[in-house]
């Protein structure tokens, strides 16, 4: 029993540190923003791993779903709390923002999950390269659609979310976005871990390893694909919502193929079909991006180069399809992959 | 009511008629064979029965239920399980997981139960694991539960694949060339295994097999097809001496 407490206890301690450290000046604005970015990367990488790693499809349109979540959460928040030219007077007082924020994020999740249907349904009949093209097309459609909606600023982008974050700050002086992102990461890992560990979720891995056998051995493959795509895109939408509030601004240019590529790099860096791999690779990737910042655009030479080297020398990624607790069995004292 | 009733089944692939006006009835508990030269259409018949293809014409009923329009997983839930000519285990899953996942149609809990780790989830997962372990133990493979299929010999992989099929609790077990690629010592083992399964599990077995020793020593009724059409059927004795069958096989070999 004692072991089962360890992980929640560690999470609570972490959360406490995150709230307390900036308070006593141990963690500056730079550090907070960096941790936030890292958290968003973890959500993106872990959620894409469900489709590309566990299910073995090649989705390269993750940024599209992130965009759907980002815009939905932004519009929902501004509509409810901020006076806006298009959306008019706010419906709710600022004091409610800390309570309404999970609902705002949930709206982004749901909208992105529904957008996931756009690729889930073709996946019933198509796979491999063709499906990859469909996911790419879907992300372009989403981006162009947003560019053409004047109400959300078209290509110029959409702002106003900063007021909501300020609203939360005025309620209590804690690093709100860090807290929300931490909770978002915890939720993502929690839901994915429970999914892939269950016999139910292992149907997804059966599809990866032999779809014909899966179908014949009673796995409802269409339903499993639907769930996997929707869960994955929904979580990308959650990451999008958090991102929008973190930088208080969204524009279509933030959700290009480059963003999807980042997600792909993290999945392959961490290892397909390894959740701990996805978390590790997102951390490594965020640190790497920070170090490569002075290179400006040149970092997009450095990162692919890194990917090529990785594919040459360790094609299975950091973790392969194993989990941290498989590599270091002693960790099982503290948590099991269940 | 017959367990399996196939009536006037025809399957075309473009201009090719892979199965031609094929009919068969199995009442349940039989051990029958479907034989014929390479490319005769045997595997196609199994693919049709398991719902993998939709027949061009004709009908398939299982326990009185017409399977037209059904997905393979729905057919499986009617009590049909099969193995494949080329072994198709899930190679990155343990033997135990292979047998757990194949119980997908009767998991007995929903996605929400899995995510919320409800009581029902815990009970059902425990039951699924118990069923799988019992089956492995019954078939003498308990020690292999945590092995990955590629680490096992070909013969054992065949046996695991049969166990996986049995875990769906079938009334009709389709075996597609279970002896293919086995060394002759393993073939003897396989004959014993199939006999034992037929005795211990309450089911009918229908198998495709090229090795005549297996077919002749196990099966009660044999159907022979060539170019998708039935050319003979009867007891092993009838088939052994049937000139049409001998001609089909020799003709095949002469090419
Ligand atoms: N999906 C398909 N599309 C087109 N043609 C097919 C398809 N499946 C099978 N065929 C053709 O149908 C014919 C029958 O094939 P089938 O696999 O049923 O033969 P078989 O009797 O099982 O042969 P073997 O003993 O070699 O396994 C062959 O000519 C094959 O090429
Ligand atoms: Mg065949």
């Amino acid at each position: 029993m004692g072991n089962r407490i360890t992980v929640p206890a560690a999470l609570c301690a972490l959360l406490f540190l995150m709230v307390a450290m900036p308070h006593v000046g141990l963690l500056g604005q730079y550090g907070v923003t960096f941790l936030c970015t890292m958290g968003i990367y973890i959500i993106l990488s872990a959620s894409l791993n469900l489709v590309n790693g566990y299910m073995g499809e090649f989705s390269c349109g993750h940024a599209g779903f992130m965009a759907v979540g980002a815009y939905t959460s932004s519009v929902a928040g501004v509509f409810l709390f901020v006076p806006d030219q298009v959306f008019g007077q706010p419906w709710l007082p600022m004091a409610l923002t800390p309570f309404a924020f999970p609902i705002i994020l949930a709206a982004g999740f749901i909208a992105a999950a529904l957008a996931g249907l756009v690729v889930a349904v073709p996946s019933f009949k198509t796979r491999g390269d063709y499906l990859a093209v469909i996911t790419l097309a879907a992300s372009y459609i989403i981006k162009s659609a947003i560019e053409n909606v004047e109400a959300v600023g078209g290509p110029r982008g959409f702002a106003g979310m900063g007021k909501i974050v300020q609203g939360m700050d005025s309620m209590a002086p804690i690093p709100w976005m860090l807290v929300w992102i931490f909770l978002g990461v915890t939720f993502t890992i929690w839901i994915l871990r429970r999914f892939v560990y269950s016999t139910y979720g292992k149907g997804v891995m059966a599809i990866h390893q032999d779809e014909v056998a899966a179908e014949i051995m009673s796995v409802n493959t269409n339903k499993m694909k639907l769930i996997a795509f929707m869960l994955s895109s929904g979580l990308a939408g959650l990451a999008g919502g958090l991102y929008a509030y973190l930088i208080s601004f969204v524009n279509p240019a933030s959700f290009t193929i480059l963003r999807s590529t980042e997600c792909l790099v993290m999945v392959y860096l961490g290892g397909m079909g390894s959740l701990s791999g996805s978390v590790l690779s997102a951390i490594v990737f965020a640190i790497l991006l920070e170090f490569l910042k002075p290179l400006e655009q040149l970092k997009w030479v450095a990162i692919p180069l890194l990917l090529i080297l990785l594919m040459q020398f360790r094609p299975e990624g950091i973790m392969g399809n194993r989990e941290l607790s498989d590599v270091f069995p002693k960790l099982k004292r503290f948590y099991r992959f269940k | 009511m017959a367990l399996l009733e196939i009536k006037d089944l025809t399957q075309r692939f473009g201009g090719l008629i892979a199965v031609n006006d094929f009919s068969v009835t199995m009442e349940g508990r039989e051990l029958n064979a479907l034989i014929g030269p390479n490319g005769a259409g045997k595997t196609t018949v199994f693919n049709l029965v398991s719902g993998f293809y939709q027949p061009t014409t004709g009908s398939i009923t299982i326990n009185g239920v017409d399977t037209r329009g059904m997905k393979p997983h729905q057919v499986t839930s009617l009590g049909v399980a099969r193995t494949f000519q080329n072994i198709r285990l899930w190679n990155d899953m343990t033997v135990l997981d292979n047998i757990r996942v194949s119980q997908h149609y009767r998991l007995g809990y929903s996605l929400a139960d899995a995510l919320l780790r409800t009581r029902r989830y815990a009970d059902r997962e425990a039951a699924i694991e118990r069923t799988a372990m019992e089956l492995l133990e019954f078939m003498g493979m308990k020690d292999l539960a945590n092995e990955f299929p590629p680490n096992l010999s070909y013969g054992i992989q065949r046996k695991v694949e049969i166990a996986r099929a049995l875990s769906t609790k079938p009334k009709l077990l389709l075996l597609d060339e279970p002896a293919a690629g086995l060394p002759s010592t393993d073939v003897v083992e396989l004959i014993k295994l199939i006999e034992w399964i037929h005795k211990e599990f309450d089911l009918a077995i229908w198998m495709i097999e090229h090795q005549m020793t297996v077919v002749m020593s196990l099966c009660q009724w044999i159907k022979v097809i060539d170019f998708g059409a039935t050319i003979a059927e009867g007891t092993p004795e009838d088939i052994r001496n049937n000139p049409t069958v001998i001609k089909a096989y020799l003709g095949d070999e002469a090419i």
Side-chain angles (χ1 to χ4, degrees), chain A residues 194 199-200 209-210 216 218, chain B residues 76 88 92 104-105 115 125:
Chain A
R194 289 190 161 192
T199 303
Y200 192 106
Q209 292 165 34
D210 191 327
I216 297 278
S218 87
Chain B
T76 307
R88 302 191 86 139
D92 287 334
H104 232 258
Y105 78 93
L115 297 182
E125 281 283 346

Side-chain angles (χ1 to χ4, degrees), chain B residues 54-117:
Chain B
Q54 290 299 321
T56 314
T57 58
S59 71
I60 302 167
T61 30
I62 291 159
N63 277 326
V65 182
D66 191 337
T67 64
R68 178 165 281 279
M70 280 193 184
K71 291 265 175 199
H73 70 94
Q74 293 167 316
V75 175
T76 307
S77 65
L78 292 178
V80 181
R82 69 176 286 186
T83 63
F84 298 90
Q85 192 166 345
N86 310 307
I87 298 172
R88 302 191 86 139
L89 288 166
W90 297 303
N91 284 334
D92 287 334
M93 275 187 219
T94 60
V95 167
L96 179 64
D97 276 347
N98 265 273
I99 292 173
R100 278 209 285 222
V101 172
S102 56
Q103 303 179 50
H104 232 258
Y105 78 93
R106 53 188 165 91
L107 287 180
Y109 64 83
S110 67
L111 177 61
D113 287 314
L115 297 182
L116 300 173
R117 287 293 191 264

Side-chain angles (χ1 to χ4, degrees), chain A residues 231-307:
Chain A
L231 189 55
S232 170
S233 52
L235 290 170
L238 172 67
L242 291 165
Y243 171 83
Y245 283 83
L246 176 66
I247 63 171
S248 302
F249 172 69
V250 282
N251 64 347
S254 308
F255 306 105
T256 56
I257 177 86
L258 220 55
R259 177 78 62 195
S260 298
T261 311
E262 286 182 340
C263 303
L264 286 170
V265 169
M266 287 187 286
V267 169
Y268 295 103
L269 179 69
M272 306 210 299
S274 167
L275 268 186
S276 22
S278 272
V279 176
L280 278 178
S281 69
I283 293 172
V284 170
F285 191 74
I287 295 173
L288 205 68
L289 276 187
E290 211 51 37
F291 273 111
L292 294 177
K293 228 174 203 164
L295 286 181
E296 303 270 332
Q297 282 305 318
L298 267 183
K299 76 177 181 207
W300 281 107
V301 177
I303 288 167
L305 207 62
L306 206 77
L307 195 63

Side-chain angles (χ1 to χ4, degrees), chain B:
Chain B
M1 190 189 343
L3 170 62
L4 170 71
E5 194 160 11
I6 300 181
K7 270 204 200 119
D8 311 325
L9 193 68
T10 297
Q11 176 69 4
R12 287 171 197 272
F13 294 114
L16 180 91
I17 302 177
V19 177
N20 194 357
D21 223 5
F22 182 90
S23 299
V24 90
T25 306
M26 284 176 81
E27 295 297 334
R29 298 291 290 137
E30 298 100 320
L31 208 174
N32 293 354
L34 178 64
I35 66 170
N38 288 108
K42 307 178 295 293
T43 299
T44 306
V45 170
F46 276 18
N47 284 340
L48 286 161
V49 173
S50 50
F52 200 67
Y53 297 143
Q54 290 299 321
T56 314
T57 58
S59 71
I60 302 167
T61 30
I62 291 159
N63 277 326
V65 182
D66 191 337
T67 64
R68 178 165 281 279
M70 280 193 184
K71 291 265 175 199
H73 70 94
Q74 293 167 316
V75 175
T76 307
S77 65
L78 292 178
V80 181
R82 69 176 286 186
T83 63
F84 298 90
Q85 192 166 345
N86 310 307
I87 298 172
R88 302 191 86 139
L89 288 166
W90 297 303
N91 284 334
D92 287 334
M93 275 187 219
T94 60
V95 167
L96 179 64
D97 276 347
N98 265 273
I99 292 173
R100 278 209 285 222
V101 172
S102 56
Q103 303 179 50
H104 232 258
Y105 78 93
R106 53 188 165 91
L107 287 180
Y109 64 83
S110 67
L111 177 61
D113 287 314
L115 297 182
L116 300 173
R117 287 293 191 264
T118 58
R119 191 62 200 252
R120 180 161 15 153
Y121 169 84
D123 291 347
R124 285 299 306 149
E125 281 283 346
I128 288 161
E129 174 150 352
R130 204 173 334 107
T131 312
M133 282 312 288
E134 276 168 10
L135 182 63
L136 282 175
E137 186 163 13
F138 195 51
M139 295 185 69
M141 297 192 291
K142 199 177 157 210
D143 300 342
L144 305 179
N146 293 315
E147 289 287 346
F148 289 89
N151 301 335
L152 305 171
S153 76
Y154 201 72
I156 300 292
Q157 289 190 33
R158 283 257 178 236
K159 200 170 163 185
V160 172
E161 207 193 20
I162 294 173
R164 185 178 67 171
L166 288 171
S167 75
T168 67
K169 300 223 158 99
K171 286 283 156 211
L172 172 63
L173 178 62
L174 308 173
L175 302 174
D176 195 346
E177 301 199 24
L182 292 188
S184 50
T185 45
D186 285 8
V187 171
V188 179
E189 285 290 307
L190 181 83
I191 292 174
K192 280 192 211 144
L193 176 70
I194 295 175
E195 222 163 20
W196 176 79
I197 289 170
H198 188 236
K199 198 163 69 117
E200 292 292 329
F201 295 79
D202 176 30
L203 47 64
I205 296 179
W206 195 18
M207 67 169 159
I208 297 172
E209 189 47 69
H210 278 298
Q211 297 201 26
M212 284 307 135
T213 45
V214 180
V215 175
M216 294 300 171
S217 60
L218 281 173
C219 299
Q220 303 149 354
W221 192 256
I222 300 170
K223 209 167 165 68
V224 192
I225 60 172
D226 195 12
F227 297 109
T230 308
I231 56 168
E233 60 184 305
T235 60
E237 209 48 43
D238 300 337
I239 298 301
R240 214 193 301 267
N241 304 316
N242 187 313
T244 327
V245 176
I246 294 166
K247 192 158 153 270
Y249 270 88
L250 285 183
D252 185 59
E253 254 150 47
I255 295 169

Side-chain angles (χ1 to χ4, degrees), chain A residues 151-170:
Chain A
V152 294
R156 277 169 285 112
F158 184 72
M161 293 76 82
K163 300 220 175 64
I164 295 170
V165 181
Q166 280 164 19
M168 288 192 269
D169 279 338
S170 65

